[in-house]
Amino acid sequence: MLAHLEEPQTLSHALVSEESKEWYAASESEVDSLVRNDTWELALLPAGREAIGCRWLFRRKDDGRYKARLVAKAYSQREGLDYTEAFAPVAKFNSLRSLLALVCENDSELDGMDVKTAFLYSDLEETVYMEIPEGLHTEVQRNNSGERVVCRLIKSIYGLKQSPRAWYGKRNHFFLANGFQRSKQDHRVYIHKFFKLILLLYVDDLVITSPSLEDVAWVQNCLHEEFEMTNLGPLTGFRGMAIKRNRPVRTLHLTQHKYTTIILERHGISTCALVSTPAGPHTRLLKSPITHPTDPNILQQYQ
Amino acid sequence: MIGTRPDIAFAVSAVSQHSSNPGPALWTAVRRIFRYLAGTQTFDILYGSGYRGGYTDADWGAGEDRKSIGGYAFMMNGGAVSWASRKQGSVALSSTEAEYMALTQGVKESLWLGELLEGLGALKHGKEIRKVQCDNQAAIAVTKNPEYHADTKHIDIQYHFIREHVNSGGIVLFYCPTHAMTADIFTKLLPRPQFEKHVLGLGLGPGPSTETEAGQEAGGKNCAGMIRGEAVC
């Protein structure tokens, strides 16, 4: 098993690691996707502008897949120049849980869909220049007169501050055009006017519920025409929560068992000396009179 | 753990208030939460059949700065869908005032959930989620009594807000005795029997083990002999 190995931090590390073949294939598939979607064009960097950085992210998925993703370094983006609006809503967990309670009561279908490289599909409004990614360095880093050659982004890319917003706008438009109404209470919940369909979106995850399998198939076909998506079949999890249904008796269990186990392992909590309440009834936490500095490394993990 | 564990909401909010200056006592408290989680890793929220509606509660003056702690939970088909445990923004002068402020938060959430559910086509559920239980008779009486004059403006406004919704029939308030008040779990540290009772009241319990399918509704009961998710009022 290689699961204990750290994931590589850079492309060059990935390509000399034990799993170089897998990482190479993964990054090639990402480059393919970027090129196929016309994500950028090569351009000269105008005077006064700076190119934002980018890096590779490598992830081993639970199901054994290897994923490479090119992300922009958003911290180098300057407001007003590289981005203007960045807010994008995500579905509230309250709405998800309410929806799940309804689904199990009505014994509705509950399907998941996942978008391949979600952000590549939205056009970028601002002009953003990005460095040529590691691994794609061409001979022409500078032209004859010494100006730098960079990527001018046409589509938004992971990591850009405005990417989630651009993606949100694009999908919102698509759903409204296909006869959905957006819930006033949660802007990531859509209800179809004629079909009995309810959708819930969380960035690149999509939950579809409907009493009818045909209606689910209809919306899946619509989506496949517009976006590159994968049908996940009956939903078994969402954002780290596991969903277990027992349809004959109409019950649904929602748990974070796995996540809890990971957190406990990370902090080295053994399963002896268990307690039955999260705090003793007379515990009182008072402000500490002395300052306790926090380890900056730990602080960074939670920011 | 915001997704599925309302049982630790109060403890987490209590330790979070000290996260900017964490001392050894805080770490002990955090470890205690972890030890609790370690014993309850398989806990899940079960939706099936059961209570629909809300609970709100407050613990007057419980904060170190004498602000009160308010909390609410909203249930759908026996499982919690929405909950909160928060220190109130201003100091309450009486327990009724603290309950009243908690009720305001609960009513706001109740209206939101009701509208969401109606938008999803669940009209019956939208109406039921607007039933809110409160364990303070005085706070309920105040919503019906036009004689009430609050001394301070923030209470005055909350008073008019709840009264408007109660009078129009949008929100229905019920009294619920303290021992059955599930939202008690969001306002104070409880001894084990009450804690376990309210955990069940939230629809939480050990999930089906991985070998058996979700079909075996394993262990819905605990020592209190309650079935989880059942209406306690």
Side-chain angles (χ1 to χ4, degrees):
Chain A
M1 279 297 288
L2 297 160
H4 62 280
L5 288 176
E6 286 282 306
E7 283 144 345
Q9 294 294 311
T10 64
L11 185 69
S12 47
H13 280 159
L15 296 183
V16 296
S17 71
E18 281 176 42
E19 301 154 289
S20 57
K21 229 175 32 205
E22 285 85 355
W23 293 129
Y24 183 78
S27 44
E28 200 161 59
S29 139
E30 171 79 353
V31 170
D32 257 10
S33 178
L34 291 164
V35 170
R36 203 154 10 99
N37 285 292
D38 296 317
T39 312
W40 61 65
E41 57 187 18
L42 291 180
L44 294 175
L45 185 66
R49 287 298 298 268
E50 271 174 49
I52 58 168
C54 61
R55 59 168 290 199
W56 286 94
L57 275 185
F58 297 95
R59 288 283 175 272
R60 245 180 246 108
K61 292 280 173 167
D62 288 340
D63 52 9
R65 283 177 304 156
Y66 288 76
K67 280 219 153 168
R69 178 155 282 160
L70 186 73
V71 297
K73 293 180 180 170
Y75 56 82
S76 49
Q77 277 186 277
R78 283 191 288 166
E79 192 179 348
L81 211 55
D82 294 323
Y83 71 98
T84 46
E85 296 284 337
F87 174 76
V90 293
K92 296 172 174 68
F93 279 15
N94 295 358
S95 342
L96 173 75
R97 287 186 292 253
S98 305
L99 190 61
L100 292 179
L102 283 179
V103 161
C104 84
E105 182 184 350
N106 302 332
D107 197 31
S108 302
E109 302 300 322
L110 177 69
D111 269 40
M113 271 179 107
D114 160 71
V115 193
K116 250 179 133 184
T117 49
F119 293 139
L120 298 182
Y121 298 97
S122 14
D123 297 306
L124 210 53
E125 281 171 23
E126 299 85 359
T127 320
V128 182
Y129 296 93
M130 186 183 77
E131 284 167 9
I132 296 176
E134 185 190 2
L136 295 178
H137 291 292
T138 47
E139 305 295 307
V140 276
Q141 290 287 322
R142 286 178 191 279
N143 71 350
N144 296 338
S145 40
E147 288 165 303
R148 259 178 84 197
V149 179
V150 291
C151 300
R152 192 163 70 82
L153 295 178
I154 300 166
K155 302 277 171 70
S156 54
I157 173 171
Y158 272 90
L160 283 186
K161 283 195 199 294
Q162 65 268 55
S163 288
R165 185 179 176 82
W167 173 231
Y168 167 73
K170 171 120 182 170
R171 291 238 282 201
N172 185 40
H173 183 78
F174 171 83
F175 287 123
L176 296 183
N178 278 284
F180 283 91
Q181 261 170 348
R182 189 172 70 173
S183 163
K184 283 196 187 78
Q185 278 65 42
D186 189 329
H187 284 185
R188 304 275 50 202
V189 174
Y190 293 85
I191 303 118
H192 201 278
K193 287 183 220 158
F194 309 112
F195 298 124
K196 289 198 157 169
L197 272 165
I198 301 169
L199 307 182
L200 184 139
L201 287 83
Y202 199 104
V203 194
D204 51 359
D205 292 328
L206 171 66
V207 179
I208 306 170
T209 78
S210 168
S212 130
L213 269 174
E214 282 139 45
D215 290 352
V216 173
W218 171 80
V219 74
Q220 284 176 336
N221 284 338
C222 279
L223 284 160
H224 281 306
E225 276 170 32
E226 184 79 13
F227 307 102
E228 217 180 307
M229 297 187 74
T230 333
N231 291 352
L232 301 174
L235 194 72
T236 54
F238 188 78
R239 294 280 127 186
M241 296 184 274
I243 296 166
K244 273 190 193 143
R245 288 181 80 186
N246 181 357
R247 294 189 62 169
V249 298
R250 304 198 175 187
T251 58
L252 187 149
H253 295 259
L254 188 68
T255 178
Q256 283 175 301
H257 183 181
K258 204 176 150 195
Y259 177 65
T260 313
T261 312
I262 293 172
I263 294 277
L264 293 174
E265 268 172 24
R266 186 190 297 164
H267 293 279
I269 307 294
S270 68
T271 44
C272 51
L274 302 177
V275 284
S276 55
T277 55
H282 301 294
T283 321
R284 261 189 95 76
L285 284 174
L286 298 172
K287 258 187 198 145
S288 177
I290 35 170
T291 342
H292 302 275
T294 317
D295 182 348
N297 291 324
I298 295 176
L299 205 59
Q300 205 186 3
Q301 278 181 25
Y302 293 93
Q303 281 175 342
Chain B
M1 305 306 296
I2 56 163
T4 60
R5 296 303 294 266
D7 47 343
I8 58 167
F10 177 75
V12 169
S13 109
V15 295
S16 306
Q17 289 169 23
H18 297 270
S19 58
S20 62
N21 185 17
L26 182 78
W27 180 230
T28 313
V30 172
R31 280 189 69 92
R32 165 97 189 201
I33 300 177
F34 280 146
R35 278 161 61 207
Y36 169 72
L37 283 177
T40 57
Q41 286 179 51
T42 62
F43 269 35
D44 59 24
I45 304 180
L46 172 65
Y47 302 101
S49 56
Y51 180 56
R52 290 189 205 111
Y55 302 97
T56 73
D57 196 14
D59 193 16
W60 179 40
E64 203 184 332
D65 49 6
R66 286 308 184 175
K67 284 176 183 165
S68 310
I69 313 285
Y72 61 76
F74 284 85
M75 311 287 296
M76 275 272 288
N77 301 342
V81 291
S82 168
W83 59 83
S85 168
R86 263 182 227 129
K87 190 156 85 170
Q88 291 176 348
S90 56
V91 177
L93 290 174
S94 67
S95 59
T96 304
E97 207 174 293
E99 293 277 351
Y100 215 82
M101 294 206 267
L103 203 52
T104 307
Q105 298 303 318
V107 166
K108 273 157 69 184
E109 181 67 12
S110 170
L111 292 169
W112 183 83
L113 278 168
E115 280 161 24
L116 176 83
L117 289 167
E118 278 159 14
L120 298 179
L123 300 181
K124 190 181 78 179
H125 301 72
K127 205 170 152 71
E128 286 185 31
I129 208 87
R130 289 188 172 103
K131 291 184 194 161
V132 182
Q133 302 192 9
C134 168
D135 69 352
N136 189 303
Q137 298 268 29
I140 299 177
V142 155
T143 63
K144 298 179 179 140
N145 179 9
E147 298 282 302
Y148 177 77
H149 292 292
D151 293 333
T152 48
K153 197 173 172 188
H154 66 280
I155 278 293
D156 197 32
I157 290 172
Q158 299 190 353
Y159 161 66
H160 285 290
F161 169 76
I162 300 183
R163 233 173 81 80
E164 186 186 306
H165 289 290
V166 169
N167 279 349
S168 69
I171 293 286
V172 189
L173 297 181
F174 290 93
Y175 171 70
C176 163
T178 303
H179 67 85
M181 173 41 76
T182 302
D184 211 21
I185 201 171
F186 299 120
T187 64
K188 56 178 89 68
L189 300 169
L190 293 168
R192 183 173 172 182
Q194 279 106 306
F195 181 79
E196 287 182 340
K197 182 178 178 182
H198 295 325
V199 165
L200 279 183
L202 290 167
L204 275 166
S209 60
T210 37
E211 296 89 57
T212 58
E213 272 307 296
Q216 316 285 327
E217 295 305 334
K221 289 187 174 185
N222 76 345
C223 58
M226 284 176 58
I227 299 163
R228 63 172 162 169
E230 77 180 9
V232 283
C233 266

